[in-house]
Amino acid sequence: EMTKINLLDESVYNLISAGEVVENPASVVKELVENAIDAGADSISVSIREGGIKSITVTDNGVGMEEEDLRKCVLPHATSKISSASDLNYIGTLGFRGEALASIAAVSITTIHSKYFESDVGHSIVVKGGVVERVGTSSISYGTGITVENLFFNTPARFAFLKTPKGEENAVTATMIDLIFSNPDISFSYDADGAMLYKTNGSGLFDTIYPIYGAEVAANMIGFSAEEKGYSLTGYTARPATEAIRNNRSRQIFIVNGRVIEDQTLSAVVQNAYGEFLMKRTFPSIILDMVIPFDLVDVNVHPNKKEVRFADRKVINGLVYNAVKSAVEADAEARQKELFSVFHSDPAKDSESAPIKDNDHIDVSTPAYEKKTFSSFDFFMPTDPRKDRTIDRVKTDDIASSSSTEEEDSFSYLRERLNGRQQEDIPAMVLSDSHIQAKQSPAYRVIGQLFDTYLLLEIGDEVVFLDQHATHERILYDKLIEESKKNVTVQDLLLPYEYVVTPAERSFFLTNEDHFNRLGFRVEIGADKISVMSVPCILTNLDIGSFLQELIEYNKSFSELTNSSVIKDKIAKIACKRAIKGGDKLTEAQIEYVIGYFFRNGVPLQCPHGRPTMIKLSKTDIEKRFGRIV
């Protein structure tokens, strides 16, 4: 028997099309809010009950609808967006939603109140399961209010697919975050079961960060912007080593022409732009808002419109990379200046912190390191008042290049020079430089070493904790990079270190042979193995096997990075292995060296893996903890 083709009646058709648009409460919220935006609203409130399963209410102050529009908007194929096929090429609005309201009304009880801005009276309509129940007037004073109740009451199979109310609420919240960030000039309020979750004032992108992510994150976001070839972007990205850095990508918002998109490539570009400012497996919060000519981006790649296709991916990647990189670097530089400005203030205003002058009498009965000043690259021991003789300069290079076990020995000659005097008797070390006026160098006080890992300093009304490992790691990194620009001092290995490689790994070493040489690693590349013949002198304790292994692993996972960046990052890792480790007791001279280097050379606020090298606590913070001040 021949199969008959049945034409579906309208009510069945509506239920099927509803499945394409309405998956869950979050998709209803998205459709209703986007309709409100298209109606010109600049104030929208969203309220849900039981995750939106029980009810969703969206009210707006847009132009509103007349009675005729109300009847039409709940019919299938209703759209205010498109009047001819050519319009499909230039969909600049949020995407045509033909059957959105009709689809929602088909699977719920939907009540709409609306007042057209030129009309004297408002109207209302109630639609149950796609059937208009009643139409009448409404006392609404302006705009539109839509309430959607009992979602999927007439499609039990679809109702069964809903999550728990809390699960659905989380999905609505994620949708609201996207909508708020992509419409920063609209004021939103969003509450769930009577609790206000977000309230924004529509005063721009930056002001949306605080209500959504909190004060700590908002305070640590760096603004950036760029423009090129008709593309323009603005945004805010996380300051390294702060609350704004996350251990996942959940706070990365990419907006294209007013729509939040998902784009893993952009996420990778941002990650690369941070480089050594990020710790491994951490991700910056970022809100990136891009405006792109409509004909250079295809938004209809995927039904959920979250994926887009760019006509010129390279231009966008380059623009984002440079904007983020330069913003993060400029911010780090500014923060460093601010940090070190305490050392260039006028101490005359504060006699407490007046520096020691070279000719001041140093009372050696006071504990060593009572007061310090700094400035030059070398430091020296001042005159011992009891013996009236000057101790020779300490060669800082020797200290920097000695290993943490050797460092103890590298100071032994100091002790001999001091004729067997106890180290505790060494007078305070003073950093000095004839070029710099003493008054430019206010005092700081070394409190000591904490947990054999952190160095404590008192500076003005702040306590500074320096991570000796992160700081010394940076010293070695800087030294190696600096040396590589001239001639690296190398140490030939007694026996070459051999490492078996695959053809792909071999080609990696061939490509980068020049980098290795420049850094002091002489590598001979055979058919199936490489032999390391020498290493830089300052890295004599290097674990070569794990160094090569990590290097190869890193290259596999970040193939899109330039080779130079990979090598540079590896140097950082080497430096880390070679640094003073947390847990080593330091001599006073070593403490002085690490601190001196930190201040003289303006060591970055992160080590090469993005960990902070220092944290500060103000006197006010401490007094608050003790309840001395409120």
Side-chain angles (χ1 to χ4, degrees):
E1 191 187 320
M2 256 179 74
T3 309
K4 282 185 180 169
I5 293 171
N6 295 317
L7 287 173
L8 298 174
D9 74 33
E10 198 174 278
S11 62
V12 179
Y13 167 78
N14 254 3
L15 286 177
I16 293 170
S17 77
E20 295 165 17
V21 178
V22 185
E23 297 168 41
N24 52 21
S27 58
V28 173
V29 168
K30 184 172 186 288
E31 296 296 342
L32 296 181
V33 170
E34 288 182 348
N35 277 343
I37 294 167
D38 289 342
D42 63 8
S43 176
I44 299 171
S45 91
V46 177
S47 182
I48 63 169
R49 296 288 174 274
E50 292 178 20
I53 302 167
K54 186 177 182 186
S55 77
I56 296 163
T57 301
V58 175
T59 52
D60 69 60
N61 66 347
V63 295
M65 289 180 276
E66 297 189 79
E67 186 184 344
E68 188 192 349
D69 291 332
L70 277 184
R71 290 175 183 275
K72 274 187 192 167
C73 75
V74 292
L75 297 174
H77 301 301
T79 179
S80 59
K81 296 288 170 60
I82 293 165
S83 53
S84 72
S86 65
D87 288 347
L88 287 170
N89 294 331
Y90 286 89
I91 300 170
T93 46
L94 294 157
F96 61 99
R97 286 176 298 284
E99 294 93 19
L101 262 176
S103 300
I104 292 164
V107 288
S108 68
I109 300 163
T110 297
T111 306
I112 307 174
H113 291 268
S114 192
K115 179 173 176 287
Y116 184 57
F117 77 110
E118 286 181 342
S119 177
D120 295 334
V121 64
H123 294 88
S124 67
I125 189 169
V126 178
V127 187
K128 185 174 182 177
V131 179
V132 176
E133 297 249 303
R134 70 177 177 273
V135 179
T137 57
S138 166
S139 58
I140 190 168
S141 52
Y142 58 84
T144 303
I146 301 178
T147 299
V148 174
E149 295 171 284
N150 299 6
L151 193 60
F152 300 143
F153 80 97
N154 56 346
T155 52
R158 202 169 294 150
F159 183 85
F161 273 98
L162 289 173
K163 301 186 184 106
T164 61
K166 195 69 196 165
E168 293 299 345
E169 182 192 311
N170 292 342
V172 172
T173 301
T175 297
M176 284 304 299
I177 289 173
D178 285 358
L179 288 163
I180 290 169
F181 276 130
S182 51
N183 299 282
D185 299 326
I186 294 174
S187 66
F188 282 94
S189 73
Y190 164 53
D191 77 86
D193 295 316
M196 180 62 70
L197 298 186
Y198 301 135
K199 196 165 176 46
T200 67
N201 58 12
S203 55
L205 195 57
F206 182 75
D207 287 346
T208 58
I209 301 170
Y210 169 70
I212 294 181
Y213 293 149
E216 275 287 342
V217 173
N220 286 299
M221 296 294 271
I222 308 160
F224 61 88
S225 63
E227 230 168 306
E228 188 186 329
K229 295 180 182 169
Y231 297 88
S232 80
L233 58 93
T234 54
Y236 295 89
T237 195
R239 179 169 286 143
T242 65
E243 290 287 313
I245 301 290
R246 311 282 296 160
N247 55 8
N248 58 43
R249 292 187 180 85
S250 64
R251 287 188 178 168
Q252 297 194 339
I253 306 279
F254 301 115
I255 304 156
V256 173
N257 297 348
R259 180 201 311 283
V260 172
I261 62 157
E262 280 164 9
D263 195 306
Q264 287 181 323
T265 309
L266 279 178
S267 189
V269 167
V270 170
Q271 204 75 358
N272 295 346
Y274 271 78
E276 64 188 41
F277 282 103
L278 276 183
M279 283 170 67
K280 222 177 181 178
R281 288 181 290 279
T282 64
F283 306 90
S285 302
I286 183 168
I287 294 105
L288 169 63
D289 188 5
M290 292 187 280
V291 177
I292 294 174
F294 290 124
D295 51 345
L296 294 179
V297 58
D298 182 1
V299 297
N300 288 316
V301 178
H302 192 275
N304 70 7
K305 297 188 167 60
K306 273 245 168 177
E307 289 171 40
V308 299
R309 194 178 287 126
F310 298 111
D312 197 342
R313 168 63 80 174
K314 266 190 174 160
V315 172
I316 288 168
N317 288 359
L319 207 55
V320 172
Y321 179 87
N322 291 325
V324 172
K325 186 175 161 64
S326 46
V328 171
E329 285 174 356
D331 178 71
E333 205 176 308
R335 280 195 301 145
Q336 256 190 302
K337 273 188 186 152
E338 189 190 339
L339 170 69
F340 297 119
S341 68
V342 67
F343 297 94
H344 299 292
S345 58
D346 187 356
K349 291 174 190 165
D350 180 7
S351 57
E352 275 297 295
S353 64
I356 299 170
K357 303 257 180 13
D358 282 359
N359 58 1
D360 276 359
H361 174 78
I362 298 168
D363 178 5
V364 289
S365 64
T366 59
Y369 294 83
E370 192 58 35
K371 289 279 182 190
K372 306 282 186 257
T373 65
F374 73 91
S375 59
S376 73
F377 185 79
D378 286 326
F379 58 78
F380 68 94
M381 308 291 244
T383 302
D384 178 350
R386 290 173 299 182
K387 293 215 169 67
D388 193 28
R389 69 184 184 81
T390 306
I391 292 141
D392 294 337
R393 281 176 178 263
V394 177
K395 262 183 84 188
T396 49
D397 281 6
D398 294 346
I399 301 170
S401 58
S402 59
S403 76
S404 52
T405 48
E406 293 161 345
E407 269 155 348
E408 202 57 56
D409 302 333
S410 71
F411 289 99
S412 56
Y413 70 89
L414 250 184
R415 290 195 201 96
E416 289 162 30
R417 286 257 169 103
L418 293 167
N419 296 338
R421 276 183 25 227
Q422 289 301 300
Q423 198 168 341
E424 286 71 38
D425 293 337
I426 297 175
M429 288 181 175
V430 178
L431 299 150
S432 136
D433 189 345
S434 56
H435 304 306
I436 293 179
Q437 294 301 309
K439 69 172 188 153
Q440 283 182 294
S441 306
Y444 63 90
R445 187 162 71 94
V446 176
I447 298 165
Q449 189 181 20
L450 179 68
F451 310 133
D452 294 341
T453 305
Y454 307 101
L455 309 179
L456 263 67
L457 291 164
E458 182 188 330
I459 302 167
D461 60 355
E462 287 184 321
V463 179
V464 174
F465 295 75
L466 275 185
D467 180 332
Q468 69 191 37
H469 170 51
T471 308
H472 196 258
E473 167 184 342
R474 190 71 207 203
I475 293 172
L476 290 170
Y477 175 83
D478 288 350
K479 250 179 110 52
L480 188 56
I481 292 291
E482 194 50 47
E483 277 195 19
S484 69
K485 291 173 188 166
K486 306 164 199 161
N487 281 326
V488 184
T489 320
V490 300
Q491 169 81 54
D492 287 333
L493 300 179
L494 211 55
L495 291 168
Y497 185 95
E498 296 185 340
Y499 190 89
V500 179
V501 288
T502 65
E505 291 164 356
R506 180 177 181 273
S507 92
F508 165 70
F509 284 100
L510 275 172
T511 314
N512 291 293
E513 199 170 1
D514 193 36
H515 288 302
F516 283 109
N517 283 329
R518 216 171 293 158
L519 294 166
F521 297 98
R522 197 156 56 80
V523 178
E524 286 185 3
I525 300 165
D528 61 351
K529 66 178 180 187
I530 62 156
S531 306
V532 180
M533 317 300 282
S534 70
V535 296
C537 266
I538 60 170
L539 302 177
T540 45
N541 280 12
L542 175 65
D543 177 344
I544 301 172
S546 62
F547 159 61
L548 295 174
Q549 209 171 332
E550 254 186 276
L551 193 55
I552 285 164
E553 280 308 306
Y554 200 86
N555 183 53
K556 278 179 195 160
S557 56
F558 285 95
S559 51
E560 79 270 9
L561 285 174
T562 61
N563 289 324
S564 316
S565 305
V566 176
I567 301 290
K568 190 178 173 189
D569 198 82
K570 275 340 286 176
I571 297 164
K573 287 189 166 59
I574 297 160
C576 188
K577 287 189 173 69
R578 194 34 213 83
I580 299 174
K581 294 287 182 279
D584 285 343
K585 267 193 164 44
L586 299 191
T587 62
E588 288 173 348
Q590 286 169 309
I591 291 174
E592 182 68 33
Y593 175 71
V594 172
I595 291 169
Y597 189 97
F598 185 88
F599 289 121
R600 288 190 304 275
N601 293 22
V603 171
L605 308 179
Q606 279 85 38
C607 79
H609 308 318
R611 285 198 303 115
T613 54
M614 60 154 292
I615 54 172
K616 293 189 290 182
L617 266 185
S618 70
K619 188 178 176 184
T620 312
D621 295 334
I622 294 166
E623 289 185 333
K624 275 181 183 168
R625 295 295 293 271
F626 277 107
R628 293 172 75 96
I629 56 174
V630 180

